[in-house]
Amino acid sequence: MNSSIVIALPKIDDAKKIRTILNRHGFSVAAVCSTASTALASMSELDGGILICGYKLTDRYYRDVLEDIPSYFEMLLLASGRVIAEAPTSVLTVEMPMKVSDLVNTVDMMLSQIERRLKKEKRKPKTRSWKEQNYISNAKFLLMERNHLSEEDAYRYIQKCSMDSGTNMVETAQMVLMLLYDEV
């Protein structure tokens, strides 16, 4: 996944200035806009990332945007101290007037957190469908019945064959089923 940055501020010139700052520091900005609707449309076409948002856009307040922001995006609010004090904890903030270093460091931190979270999610095993699980269960059952293996040993056998052959567990279970049924 490639994390993206979308900037939505009421004054498009301010958004372009922030894009220039971020570009100078090695970040690429996918979209610059002044309305929530344009920002949401831009985010829907991207894999995920950060929405850098002002307190009030031309068509909505940031809290309204927060309700509709895709789950794979995080919000960075640029606002006054008063507004920041009332912001939800799920929103990271940079106080206006801002220091360039605060913006750059916060964006860098957010993108790093997003990348770590995505790597962690990739490592999670994918859940199998009922049909896929059924292949494995049937192969285990046949191995247990024909080869007098325990359930754990039958599972380990399928797992080892899967690793040895470079196929996934479901494909290996299907091969075991075909081989054992051919013996009948």
Side-chain angles (χ1 to χ4, degrees):
M1 186 205 112
N2 195 4
S3 296
S4 302
I5 299 172
V6 174
I7 302 171
L9 295 173
K11 294 180 183 173
I12 199 74
D13 289 339
D14 291 343
K16 288 177 180 178
K17 287 175 187 171
I18 288 177
R19 176 181 60 193
T20 301
I21 291 168
L22 292 174
N23 286 341
R24 271 195 226 129
H25 286 86
F27 300 106
S28 62
V29 175
V32 174
C33 45
S34 62
T35 65
S37 55
T38 308
L40 291 167
S42 295
M43 286 185 284
S44 71
E45 296 174 6
L46 300 168
D47 292 333
I50 301 171
L51 169 63
I52 298 175
C53 186
Y55 166 71
K56 182 183 179 191
L57 301 174
T58 56
D59 57 345
R60 292 165 84 176
Y61 286 93
Y62 84 96
R63 283 188 180 265
D64 299 326
V65 177
L66 190 58
E67 290 175 17
D68 295 330
I69 193 172
S71 61
Y72 46 89
F73 263 86
E74 293 182 17
M75 182 182 283
L76 174 58
L77 175 65
L78 306 180
S80 67
R82 182 187 56 80
V83 171
I84 287 173
E86 298 171 4
T89 55
S90 63
V91 176
L92 282 166
T93 59
V94 171
E95 189 170 349
M96 296 299 283
M98 69 170 184
K99 294 178 186 165
V100 170
S101 61
D102 289 347
L103 174 68
V104 170
N105 291 336
T106 304
V107 168
D108 189 43
M109 178 194 67
M110 290 176 77
L111 289 174
S112 295
Q113 286 177 331
I114 291 168
E115 292 299 324
R116 273 195 302 278
R117 185 180 71 234
L118 291 172
K119 282 180 186 176
K120 188 176 179 182
E121 287 173 8
K122 276 186 177 179
R123 286 193 301 255
K124 286 182 185 175
K126 295 178 182 158
T127 54
R128 293 189 176 102
S129 69
W130 173 85
K131 190 175 181 179
E132 291 171 331
Q133 190 57 50
N134 201 29
Y135 283 124
I136 294 170
S137 296
N138 288 338
K140 276 193 315 188
F141 177 76
L142 274 175
L143 287 168
M144 290 163 56
E145 189 177 88
R146 297 242 179 117
N147 298 59
H148 308 291
L149 298 174
S150 69
E151 182 177 0
E152 189 176 319
D153 288 339
Y155 183 83
R156 279 199 198 123
Y157 176 80
I158 296 168
Q159 193 175 38
K160 183 175 180 345
C161 289
S162 170
M163 288 189 286
D164 290 347
S165 65
T167 58
N168 68 41
M169 292 270 294
V170 175
E171 291 170 318
T172 302
Q174 290 171 324
M175 287 188 275
V176 167
L177 289 169
M178 285 191 303
L179 290 170
L180 291 177
Y181 279 129
D182 284 346
E183 290 179 7
V184 177

